[in-house]
Amino acid sequence: MITATLAVTSLLAALVVFLPIEVVLLAGGGLAEVPAWALAAICAATHTLGKGGHYALAAGLITNRRLHAWLTARVSAATRARARRWNNSPLVTYLRGPTGWVISFSAAAISLPPYALMPLVAPSVGQRWWEFATASFAGRWLRFYLILAVPMVARYVTG
C-alpha cells in the first residue's frame, strides 16, 4: 500500500511542480514493501510519465497547426528568418544529439539545469520523446535511489 501511495505521489509531484517528491520519499521510503532499488524504479517511472505530459503539452503547442498558423500570420518575415536560423544553429543541432540526453539526465539526477523546465525545453530544441524519457528515467532513478539509501546508510553508520 505504501509503494502505491508513493508511486501516485511521484506522479502528482511530476504534474504539480511545487510538490517535493524527495521529502515524501525520504519520509516514507523506509516503510515500503519493496526494496529501495525497485521503489526508486517505480517512482522514477511514474515521475517520468508525469513529466511526459508536460513534454507532450510543449510538443503539442509547437506542432499545433492552428496555433502555428495564427502565430505565423502575426510575425514578420524577419522573425521567421530568425526562427529558421535558430533551428539550424550549431547550438540547437548540438543539443539534438547525445549532449541533449546528457543535459536531460543531469537535470533529472541533480537538477542542473532545473528539471521542471526540461520537459518544456526539450521539444523546442528537437529532442525526441524517447531520448527525454530514457534520460529522465535514468536520472530520476539514480536520484530517488540515493535519497532512499540515506536511511539505510544512517542505520549502518549509527549501528
Side-chain angles (χ1 to χ4, degrees), residues 40-63:
I42 291 166
C43 289
T46 56
H47 204 81
T48 300
L49 184 65
K51 289 299 180 185
H54 289 201
Y55 180 98
L57 176 65
L61 289 177
I62 291 168
T63 59

Side-chain angles (χ1 to χ4, degrees), residues 36-130:
W37 66 267
L39 180 60
I42 291 166
C43 289
T46 56
H47 204 81
T48 300
L49 184 65
K51 289 299 180 185
H54 289 201
Y55 180 98
L57 176 65
L61 289 177
I62 291 168
T63 59
N64 185 292
R65 293 189 196 287
R66 274 188 268 156
L67 179 63
H68 184 268
W70 183 82
L71 290 172
T72 304
R74 285 157 179 75
V75 297
S76 65
T79 303
R80 283 194 293 276
R82 277 194 299 277
R84 276 193 302 277
R85 282 195 307 275
W86 166 253
N87 284 332
N88 296 324
S89 72
L91 174 66
V92 172
T93 304
Y94 183 66
L95 292 175
R96 285 185 187 132
T99 305
W101 192 94
V102 170
I103 291 171
S104 291
F105 174 82
S106 168
I110 60 174
S111 292
L112 286 174
Y115 184 61
L117 300 176
M118 286 310 295
L120 305 175
V121 173
S124 68
V125 295
Q127 187 177 30
R128 292 183 290 274
W129 156 246
W130 67 267

